[in-house]
Amino acid sequence: MSQIIPIYIPTFISDQNYNPTRVLPHLYFYNGLIDCETYYIESGSLTTAGVTYAQNKFPYFDNYNVVSGSFPTVDSDSLLFNNEAASYGQIPTENLYTQYWETYVSLLYNPKTRLLTAEAIIPLADYFKMELNDVVNFRGNYYHLRAINDYSLKTGECTLQLLGPIISDTLSDLQPEPTPPAPPATGSASSSVSWSFTETRQDGTFTVFDNAVTLATLTANGTGNAQVSQSHYVTASLVPVGFPASGSVTMSLFVNGGTTLSQTVYTNTTISASFLVASGSAYGITGSIEFNDSGSAPATGSTLAWTYSVTGGPTSNGMGIKVNSVTVVSRNSTSSGTYPVNVGDVINVVISCNGCSGGSGVANPSCTGIIVDDGCTGSGSATLTSTNYTVVSGDIGNTLSLDCFATCAGACL
């Protein structure tokens, strides 16, 4: 490089007075040797003569890598979650958070995101293969697999936590890159598969796969056909493009004139249908997508109406209502309120009652309503971690009551 620059020496400080600090090992990109102003490396000591070496290059380590040229650019990779000012070159546009976490975090805090709890039976061999980046098809919709809980090695029964709708492009990202199926040899058993796609006031993407290899992708009205080998699986998928802010979308997939799948959805959803090809047959697939002017999403929630009563004079107390293991209500005095919950949400409560004495020396943390439980132990202080209540479809549109108590009394109530 033609420009001679000062040596870049990373510095870590502990306060505004620039005092040094002790840091744990760091990871950096090694960006090669960089031309710099002359510096010297000397050997020897105060009593022993040594040798002096003049150096005009230094090893350049940085939080940003060099893509082209000598310094980082906006296209460089970053090892930081929040990019800092660049010592040389430009600050990269992306960082660790935007590259690897932002999409998932945005999904978690999207108002349309739902966390479902489902019961399942998974064979042990499949359980060992499953990973938390798997995608699960449940009742025609795709979900991210978030957890497998309470798995029984004997029966395969377990509880799944499913997160949806899935991140856009997840299915295309998950498609493997298998060797494309060889075309049927002359005289071999094969079948004709034809398809058509129709859009009505709503854009969509209609895709046909042969053993996970894409045969066709239609983003507008169109048709097509292909020869497919016997015993191959053909899959058709359909997903909206640019989901409307209001109204709903009806998506349908038909195979040989019989209704395979038809859904009216209110959030961005992918539907798919598959069939096994037999020899010497003809198959037709029809996909359609249509925007509906009116209609709103069916209710999926309920209202949790809670109360908290503190009586008898405990020296300290507290109540925390948890939904899906997250504390959503916290109180330490008599109060009441409401909280919205959805089907599949798991509710429990933690109540502490401490410092009961005298004639009311027995602590009684308890609750009634959708959860009936108590934590009295006969002592002056006690904490109740209640059993769980899972919101079910029959609760939709109803008010669920939960009454909580921190009471000092003469005995367990």
Side-chain angles (χ1 to χ4, degrees):
M1 58 183 291
S2 59
Q3 180 183 4
I4 303 301
I5 61 173
I7 301 175
Y8 169 54
I9 302 177
T11 304
F12 299 93
I13 60 174
S14 61
D15 55 36
Q16 69 274 18
N17 297 319
Y18 294 92
N19 290 317
T21 186
R22 182 178 181 181
V23 296
L24 296 173
H26 283 212
L27 289 176
Y28 292 100
F29 288 109
Y30 173 59
N31 294 319
L33 295 174
I34 298 294
D35 293 337
C36 65
E37 60 188 7
T38 303
Y39 66 99
Y40 301 92
I41 299 176
E42 298 182 355
S43 64
S45 65
L46 293 176
T47 58
T48 304
V51 179
T52 299
Y53 300 92
Q55 301 292 320
N56 297 301
K57 296 178 182 288
F58 75 96
Y60 174 33
F61 295 86
D62 203 342
N63 293 309
Y64 314 132
N65 75 331
V66 173
V67 178
S68 61
S70 300
F71 299 131
T73 65
V74 292
D75 296 322
S76 295
D77 292 328
S78 171
L79 293 174
L80 300 176
F81 280 90
N82 185 25
N83 288 345
E84 302 171 349
S87 299
Y88 301 134
Q90 299 171 292
I91 302 175
T93 303
E94 302 288 343
N95 55 45
L96 293 179
Y97 174 75
T98 58
Q99 281 190 292
Y100 302 107
W101 289 95
E102 186 174 41
T103 302
Y104 182 68
V105 172
S106 297
L107 173 67
L108 291 179
Y109 290 95
N110 189 322
K112 294 183 178 180
T113 297
R114 292 292 179 264
L115 181 64
L116 304 183
T117 301
E119 304 295 326
I121 299 177
I122 301 175
L124 186 62
D126 293 334
Y127 174 71
F128 284 140
K129 297 177 182 177
M130 295 183 73
E131 299 179 354
L132 292 183
N133 61 352
D134 286 343
V135 172
V136 175
N137 188 316
F138 177 64
R139 295 182 178 178
N141 293 325
Y142 288 101
Y143 297 88
H144 295 286
L145 177 62
R146 196 162 184 263
I148 304 176
N149 297 324
D150 306 321
Y151 185 81
S152 171
L153 295 176
K154 293 183 179 180
T155 65
E157 295 178 344
C158 60
T159 301
L160 303 182
Q161 279 193 359
L162 306 178
L163 184 70
I166 61 174
I167 297 171
S168 60
D169 299 328
T170 297
L171 289 180
S172 60
D173 291 342
L174 290 177
Q175 289 293 340
E177 297 181 358
T179 302
T186 303
S188 68
S190 65
S191 295
S192 170
V193 177
S194 60
W195 54 84
S196 65
F197 177 51
T198 304
E199 297 178 336
T200 305
R201 297 188 302 152
Q202 172 62 49
D203 294 333
T205 299
F206 175 74
T207 308
V208 181
F209 302 95
D210 174 9
N211 275 4
V213 176
T214 301
L215 285 177
T217 299
L218 303 180
T219 56
N221 296 348
T223 60
N225 63 83
Q227 289 294 120
V228 178
S229 297
Q230 176 185 353
S231 301
H232 280 208
Y233 277 97
V234 172
T235 301
S237 70
L238 178 56
V239 61
V241 175
F243 201 88
S246 62
S248 61
V249 171
T250 298
M251 300 186 293
S252 301
L253 291 173
F254 299 83
V255 175
N256 281 358
T259 302
T260 302
L261 188 61
S262 182
Q263 281 191 329
T264 298
V265 298
Y266 302 86
T267 59
N268 205 6
T269 303
T270 300
I271 64 172
S272 64
S274 301
F275 60 90
L276 183 65
V277 174
S279 63
S281 301
Y283 297 91
I285 307 170
T286 301
S288 64
I289 186 168
E290 180 177 3
F291 170 69
N292 304 310
D293 290 309
S294 59
S296 57
T300 61
S302 307
T303 299
L304 174 64
W306 57 268
T307 65
Y308 180 48
S309 177
V310 182
T311 58
T315 58
S316 65
N317 70 91
M319 180 220 40
I321 297 175
K322 294 186 176 183
V323 177
N324 299 328
S325 301
V326 177
T327 300
V328 297
V329 176
S330 181
R331 295 291 188 275
N332 58 11
S333 61
T334 298
S335 51
S336 62
T338 60
Y339 187 83
V341 291
N342 294 297
V343 173
D345 284 347
V346 179
I347 304 169
N348 75 314
V349 61
V350 178
I351 305 171
S352 62
C353 182
N354 303 309
C356 297
S357 60
S360 301
V362 178
N364 285 268
S366 62
C367 59
T368 60
I370 58 171
I371 304 174
V372 179
D373 207 345
D374 74 86
C376 181
T377 61
S379 63
S381 296
T383 297
L384 165 67
T385 300
S386 76
T387 54
N388 293 335
Y389 179 84
T390 301
V391 181
V392 297
S393 58
D395 295 326
I396 293 175
N398 297 325
T399 299
L400 308 178
S401 298
L402 179 61
D403 300 312
C404 306
F405 306 90
T407 302
C408 291
C412 288
L413 301 177

